[in-house]
Amino acid sequence: MSLDYLWTGFETALIWYNLLFGLAGCFLGTIVGALPAIGPINGIALLLPLLYTFGVPAESTLIMLAGIYYGAEYGGRISSILINVPGDAGAVMTALDGNPLARQGKAAEALAISGLSSFTGGILAVIGLAIFAPLLGKIAIGFGPAEYFVLMVFAFATLGSMVGDQPVKTLIGCAIGLMGATMGIDPTSGAYRFTFDVPELNDGIEFIVLVIGLFSVSEVLTMLEHTHHGTLQPIKVNKGFPSWSLIKFCIPSTLRASVIGFIVGVLPGTGASVSSAIAYTTEKRLLDSKGTFGKGDFRGLAAPEAANNAAAGGAFVPMLTLGVPGSGTTAVMLGALMLYNIQPGPQLFVEHPELGGGLIASMFIGNILLLLMNLPMVQLFVRILQIPNWLLIPGILVLSFLGIYSTYQDVFSIYLMLGIGVLGYLARKAGFDLAPIILGFVLGKVAETNLRNALALSGGELGILFSSTICIILWVMAAAIAVMPFYIKRRQRKQAEAEARAGTA
Amino acid sequence: MSKSAIEGPVPFGQRVPGIVLFVFAIIFGIGSWNIEYSFSSDPLGPTAFPLLLAGILAVLSLWQIAVPGPQVSWPQGRLLLKIVVLLALCFLTASTYPVLGFPVSTFILCVGVALMFEASLRNAVISGVGNAAFWYFIFTILLDIPLPLGSVFGG
Amino acid sequence: MRFLSSLAALAVTALVATGAVAAPDKPECLAGAKPGGGFDLTCRLAAETLLSTGAISKPMAVNYMEGGVGATAYNHVIGSRNNDANLIVAASSGSALLISQGKFGKYDENAVRWLGAIGADYGVLAVAADSPIQDLKGLIDAYKANPADFPVGGGGAVGSQDWMKLALIAQQAGVAPKEMRYAALEGGGAVLTALQGGHVKIASGDASEMWQHHLAGKIRILAVLADERLPGDMSELPTAKEQGFDISWPIWRGFYVGPNVSDADYNWWVDAFKKLVDTPEFQAARQDRGLFPYNKIGADYDAQVKADVARFKQLAKEAGL
């Protein structure tokens, strides 16, 4: 496929009013992304009928929607880092190292580094989308239930990295997360599992309710405890821009995570939360020899941010090549295109080059706009940390309540969130990490459903899990990531011994 | 679960999480066993996975009881009281959304929470008014997401 | 943004003379799912066209209440907004299916007042484009010949609409629905990729979603599960009936109101929808959203919902659920 459509696209996207639409989209997207439980779907659902009613042309609409879409990915990290409340599903892993960094007085660097890695992930994904989309479309088709299950095996293999100094507690956390994911209507048999005849529980625990409960409520209780003991350290706010050596330090992680995020994002059955989880645990597995991940390691911040932005780009691959949405948000965008009587798919680039190219070009430009918008705004964002606690903490609570309430229109979800928050606080007190719970929850549903679908298709034959090339490759990768740290450690030891010998010689 | 964890005698405290988890695993296992379904298209069915998890958690929690790890200090006394009050305030706020409406409920919540974070009464009121007004603006005006105004005010 | 939408509404109402007298003062449509799904589409279709045709003078708010494919909304309306004449709630034949299986909690189909259906989609059965199977008879013969190795897929759990459609086919092939090698995939998109990737041999889905992929040559629709051929381009697709299999599966989209809404208010809505479906604005908007004509409003609709629930109960029994 020639890339002529891209030039047509750039010409379209660079028209002044389209740039304005893009900028407005980026701005709105950043806001909805930063607000917990409110996401790009809300922004798009809000604007779409409006744009349609006013007869805004399709390419301008699409450019604005792409701005919202990417803006939300940038916005989610802000609340994760500053107040330890993830702004959206993809930003959960960002909080693990991002918030400790903010507490150490490195909020500005953390925001800047995560902004840069978001940008890298986003741009690489757009380039990947422009060049490899048709090829990747074929890979996405190759993923059936068996392949998704083995992908989850790979993900669990990277989880070995989470086993810290208290392996039993980590495993317990993971098991609890997996158990939480079984609640609700079983997607395979339709059975009701642990719903207690409460219709609100039919869909199980929503990810965002779990995350806000675990992070924000338990965070507020922990702060209350510190205030009570008078041990609350005021957070220092520096205004520094990250040094070049710090940026260089994060580059390998960012690049690896971008690739992982993009590929996982391409698969319609997995999204931003799975991709950032796999990217984070992979980096931890590969690099965390000193146990700094989770305590404020810049690489642990850069990786999930690069991954979730790359996944956001990857999610467009199935939409543009197959006409099948790669995520909930792209599903809404697909609906938007259909409203304009445009059917996405490979013929999009032939029939409407200004649209297909315009979309890719606007994602490219959108990322640049977002970086330009976000870097100077770091100084503004870090001021949030200077808001006194008596104003900020009620604000965090109100925001958490509102995010949940406006999604479900229902106080039951708030009760559920509060309950989860209390359990999360007690778990923290008892020395459990929250990350394994989240990881178990994210990966559990995908793993169970796909294993059972695979076995349903094969009539119970386990052979289906080894039947395709993709499966075999994933099994090999899973085995490799499981043993890799041991290998790296041995090599490092040998190297150290060799150096020691060389030193004495 | 939360209750027993807090009220457990202190020297015994480290083992309480393990015991609570073990009990939970057993209950979860019984619950899994009793999941009702007519049939499933896969050989495992909806019960196998939860049952497996219940088993894993039971083993892990026994391990945790045997080797409880470092000393844990549970909140006690006035701190415990504060935590309970804060949570009660939260539940109250949520349950009064439909009746008192978002602005009033939020005002009450924010004043209460601000006071617990050692604000002066003046600052607490500022926090209440400020938060209610700010978030109301963001959600209803900027994002067009409706918030309840309260049935007592005819909203 | 609210002022923008009010502005838009103002502009529209200025153009269209407002005639309705007893119109609801705060019209609202509740979608029992996330923005962007089928319920949202149903609500938006009504909200947009009721306003643009002047049936209501104030813009209709569309709100969302996620949970249990409409179960949460159903319980909420019956429990706390049962006499709110401003509120209409989106429903579909999927709601009737869930009600028939007792999945809407303790309430049955008699717990609300069914207002009307204003459009429908139809079930289809499809195979991959390179499949040797050319028609429904060929499909059933192939299934009969090799029932033990015939993976099928749909976008829902055992007992869902997609599963039911395939169960009807399996029964024709002499395969018990229980024995189907059925993968419950996550929505129509996953079904399409599984079909193209060869992970399943037949897929069930909805006409409007599958049609474009049929046109693009990615899949082949073997039969539309409608009584008559669909209008427009889609008239090239044969129905199951004309191939000798009496299987019909309309997926209607409509609304209900709370059980204690007065007759006068209920009738106002019925009249409004009856007028609405005859307007060209509505018909154009319905087509834009991939829905086919299906107008059953008031008593007709109430009877249809109850008939559907009874039919679904019967089907579930036959399928061994």
Side-chain angles (χ1 to χ4, degrees):
Chain A
M1 188 163 60
S2 95
L3 293 178
D4 285 347
Y5 72 93
L6 257 185
W7 305 126
T8 322
F10 269 102
E11 275 169 33
T12 315
L14 284 170
I15 301 172
W16 66 271
Y17 56 82
N18 282 338
L19 273 179
L20 270 186
F21 272 112
L23 200 63
C26 289
F27 182 72
L28 183 68
T30 307
I31 295 177
V32 293
L35 297 175
I38 309 288
I41 291 185
N42 298 81
I44 291 172
L46 163 73
L47 280 181
L48 196 55
L50 218 64
L51 296 173
Y52 184 66
T53 315
F54 282 120
V56 174
E59 59 272 16
S60 306
T61 304
L62 206 58
I63 287 167
M64 185 159 187
L65 298 190
I68 297 180
Y69 183 69
Y70 259 112
E73 296 298 330
Y74 277 74
R77 80 190 206 286
I78 300 168
S79 31
S80 281
I81 294 172
L82 294 177
I83 56 177
N84 203 21
V85 180
D88 59 17
V92 174
M93 297 294 133
T94 310
L96 299 183
D97 276 282
N99 188 253
L101 283 167
R103 279 172 196 290
Q104 292 159 23
K106 295 176 192 157
E109 282 109 320
L111 283 169
I113 285 284
S114 58
L116 286 168
S117 54
S118 294
F119 174 76
T120 313
I123 286 286
L124 286 178
V126 177
I127 295 172
L129 181 59
I131 300 173
F132 301 119
L135 177 75
L136 288 162
K138 290 208 180 76
I139 296 182
I141 289 182
F143 267 77
E147 287 78 10
Y148 276 112
F149 175 70
V150 189
L151 178 69
M152 287 304 109
V153 172
F154 170 76
F156 280 110
T158 66
L159 272 184
S161 66
M162 300 305 289
V163 180
D165 44 355
Q166 292 196 55
V168 178
K169 282 187 173 165
T170 305
L171 290 173
I172 288 177
C174 201
I176 301 266
L178 286 162
M179 286 167 147
T182 64
M183 282 181 76
I185 298 175
D186 169 35
T188 311
S189 69
Y192 284 62
R193 301 198 289 190
F194 312 107
T195 54
F196 310 106
D197 287 328
V198 179
E200 282 89 346
L201 285 176
N202 284 356
D203 291 344
I205 300 174
E206 291 288 339
F207 183 53
I208 206 73
V209 173
L210 175 85
V211 165
I212 294 183
L214 280 186
F215 280 83
S216 109
V217 176
S218 76
E219 183 70 14
V220 168
L221 292 178
T222 309
M223 302 267 263
L224 181 68
E225 189 178 332
H226 285 305
T227 310
H228 176 80
H229 293 307
T231 51
L232 196 64
Q233 301 287 338
I235 297 177
K236 277 185 291 232
V237 175
N238 68 342
K239 307 246 154 128
F241 193 77
S243 64
W244 170 240
S245 62
L246 180 60
I247 295 174
K248 222 165 57 182
F249 178 61
C250 296
I251 286 177
S253 294
T254 304
L255 293 180
R256 262 194 303 268
S258 300
V259 174
I260 292 175
F262 182 64
I263 293 173
V264 178
V266 165
L267 306 175
T270 46
S273 48
V274 174
S275 65
S276 57
I278 295 183
Y280 181 83
T281 51
T282 305
E283 285 310 300
K284 188 165 157 60
R285 186 94 183 128
L286 291 178
L287 302 174
D288 191 20
S289 50
K290 298 197 185 88
T292 48
F293 272 61
K295 299 187 181 101
D297 191 310
F298 276 103
R299 295 169 300 183
L301 167 69
E305 266 310 301
N308 70 35
N309 281 272
F316 275 92
V317 170
M319 176 166 139
L320 294 178
T321 58
L322 310 171
V324 166
S327 67
T329 318
T330 47
V332 177
M333 296 184 69
L334 191 76
L337 286 171
M338 313 257 274
L339 207 55
Y340 284 94
N341 263 324
I342 297 155
Q343 177 63 40
Q347 64 276 39
L348 178 75
F349 295 97
V350 184
E351 287 168 15
H352 304 278
E354 76 288 351
L355 261 178
L359 177 69
I360 293 183
S362 62
M363 286 162 74
F364 198 88
I365 294 167
N367 266 292
I368 295 173
L369 287 177
L370 279 160
L371 185 71
L372 293 178
M373 208 164 94
N374 267 275
L375 285 183
M377 274 159 79
V378 162
Q379 305 307 334
L380 186 73
F381 293 142
V382 291
R383 299 238 169 103
I384 290 174
L385 292 174
Q386 290 169 323
I387 298 174
N389 275 338
W390 51 264
L391 194 57
L392 181 65
I393 289 168
I396 292 176
L397 279 174
V398 173
L399 184 52
S400 308
F401 282 31
L402 278 187
I404 302 280
Y405 189 82
S406 60
T407 311
Y408 304 101
Q409 295 287 317
D410 178 32
V411 289
F412 178 82
S413 305
I414 302 185
Y415 296 153
L416 190 62
M417 174 199 83
L418 287 168
I420 291 171
V422 174
L423 294 180
Y425 170 72
L426 293 171
R428 270 167 82 163
K429 289 299 293 175
F432 290 89
D433 263 344
L434 299 183
I437 302 179
I438 305 261
L439 289 166
F441 191 86
V442 168
L443 302 176
K445 207 165 254 174
V446 187
E448 188 198 358
T449 310
N450 283 296
L451 174 63
R452 289 173 52 198
N453 269 336
L455 293 179
L457 291 178
S458 74
E461 290 284 327
L462 283 170
I464 194 171
L465 302 178
F466 304 92
S467 60
S468 73
T469 322
I470 297 176
C471 283
I472 305 285
I473 292 172
L474 286 167
W475 279 114
V476 171
M477 281 169 64
I481 198 84
V483 298
M484 187 77 91
F486 303 108
Y487 173 75
I488 291 174
K489 241 179 218 163
R490 230 181 71 185
R491 219 181 57 177
Q492 277 171 345
R493 208 176 49 219
K494 273 196 181 149
Q495 230 166 22
E497 280 168 13
E499 272 164 28
R501 249 179 278 134
T504 52
Chain B
M1 178 163 170
S2 54
K3 229 177 166 183
S4 60
I6 293 171
E7 287 171 0
V10 180
F12 191 57
Q14 295 129 276
R15 292 185 209 276
V16 168
I19 293 167
V20 171
L21 285 167
F22 183 75
V23 172
F24 174 71
I26 299 301
I27 295 172
F28 193 88
I30 295 169
S32 312
W33 190 258
N34 290 323
I35 290 169
E36 286 172 24
Y37 69 110
S38 39
F39 62 87
S40 186
S41 53
D42 67 294
L44 295 175
T47 56
F49 198 68
L51 269 177
L52 174 76
L53 291 172
I56 292 174
L57 184 66
V59 172
L60 289 170
S61 56
L62 284 176
W63 194 327
Q64 185 68 30
I65 294 167
V67 191
Q71 178 75 45
V72 179
S73 68
W74 298 107
Q76 291 171 354
R78 277 182 58 84
L79 174 62
L80 182 61
L81 187 72
K82 275 190 190 175
I83 288 175
V84 171
V85 170
L86 184 103
L87 288 170
L89 202 56
C90 286
F91 276 102
L92 194 76
T93 308
S95 55
T96 55
Y97 265 175
V99 187
L100 290 179
F102 166 77
V104 176
S105 291
T106 300
F107 174 80
I108 298 170
L109 173 75
C110 292
V111 172
V113 174
L115 286 174
M116 297 180 77
F117 280 87
E118 300 173 346
S120 64
L121 191 61
R122 189 186 67 108
N123 282 348
V125 173
I126 293 175
S127 176
V129 175
N131 272 309
F134 179 72
W135 295 118
Y136 189 78
F137 171 80
I138 293 273
F139 275 71
T140 58
I141 312 284
L142 196 65
L143 296 176
D144 205 13
I145 296 171
L147 296 175
L149 284 172
S151 51
V152 291
F153 307 110
Chain C
M1 296 303 146
R2 164 157 288 180
F3 61 94
L4 267 183
S5 45
S6 324
L7 208 70
L10 214 72
V12 173
T13 40
L15 289 171
V16 187
T18 53
V21 202
D25 53 344
K26 272 194 205 163
E28 177 186 346
C29 187
L30 186 63
K34 279 192 178 70
F39 290 138
D40 184 22
L41 178 138
T42 317
C43 274
R44 294 213 172 266
L45 175 60
E48 193 185 300
T49 54
L50 282 170
L51 187 69
S52 69
T53 58
I56 51 174
S57 53
K58 296 208 176 102
M60 175 180 260
V62 178
N63 290 325
Y64 305 94
M65 182 181 275
E66 245 183 283
V69 204
T72 314
Y74 201 71
N75 282 272
H76 170 80
V77 171
I78 297 164
S80 41
R81 298 185 69 180
N82 50 37
N83 58 0
D84 189 341
N86 280 312
L87 178 73
I88 60 171
V89 192
S92 76
S93 47
S95 317
L97 179 65
L98 291 170
I99 291 171
S100 79
Q101 296 170 350
K103 291 186 174 173
F104 265 20
K106 55 180 185 274
Y107 300 110
D108 65 5
E109 69 274 20
N110 299 312
V112 298
R113 301 192 75 167
W114 299 94
L115 203 58
I118 57 170
D121 201 346
Y122 289 90
V124 294
L125 292 164
V127 293
D130 55 6
S131 164
I133 298 169
Q134 295 296 336
D135 57 15
L136 212 48
K137 189 172 175 306
L139 171 73
I140 285 165
D141 289 344
Y143 203 162
K144 252 185 203 158
N146 200 1
D149 188 22
F150 213 83
V152 301
V158 168
S160 67
Q161 300 200 73
D162 277 2
W163 182 85
M164 286 276 196
K165 292 176 228 166
L166 285 168
L168 292 172
I169 292 297
Q171 279 171 334
Q172 296 283 345
V175 176
K178 272 188 193 187
E179 307 300 323
M180 274 200 298
R181 293 194 173 186
Y182 175 82
L185 301 160
E186 205 184 339
V191 174
L192 282 161
T193 44
L195 196 58
Q196 291 178 43
H199 306 288
V200 299
K201 284 193 181 173
I202 347 168
S204 69
D206 303 338
S208 60
E209 191 173 21
M210 298 287 218
W211 167 246
Q212 297 293 340
H213 298 271
H214 173 85
L215 263 193
K218 297 283 179 69
I219 61 165
R220 182 161 54 247
I221 295 179
L222 296 179
V224 178
L225 307 180
D227 289 340
E228 283 158 25
R229 288 203 175 200
L230 299 176
D233 294 347
M234 287 195 217
S235 61
E236 71 171 60
L237 300 173
T239 65
K241 214 172 206 172
E242 68 191 64
Q243 299 181 55
F245 301 93
D246 191 8
I247 302 170
S248 175
W249 203 279
I251 301 127
W252 47 256
R253 300 206 162 273
F255 305 93
Y256 61 85
V257 294
N260 299 337
V261 168
S262 71
D263 282 344
D265 289 322
Y266 175 80
N267 289 331
W268 184 90
W269 280 112
V270 167
D271 284 344
F273 277 116
K274 275 189 175 154
K275 280 186 197 132
L276 178 73
V277 293
D278 288 331
T279 61
E281 288 98 327
F282 170 79
Q283 286 165 1
R286 183 193 58 213
Q287 202 180 345
D288 280 353
R289 286 170 168 79
L291 291 177
F292 303 100
Y294 188 96
N295 304 326
K296 285 207 168 150
I297 293 159
D300 281 358
Y301 179 55
D302 186 69
Q304 179 67 46
V305 174
K306 283 164 188 169
D308 275 354
V309 171
R311 182 170 71 104
F312 289 144
K313 275 184 183 154
Q314 180 63 30
L315 281 176
K317 213 161 124 193
E318 284 168 19
L321 275 169

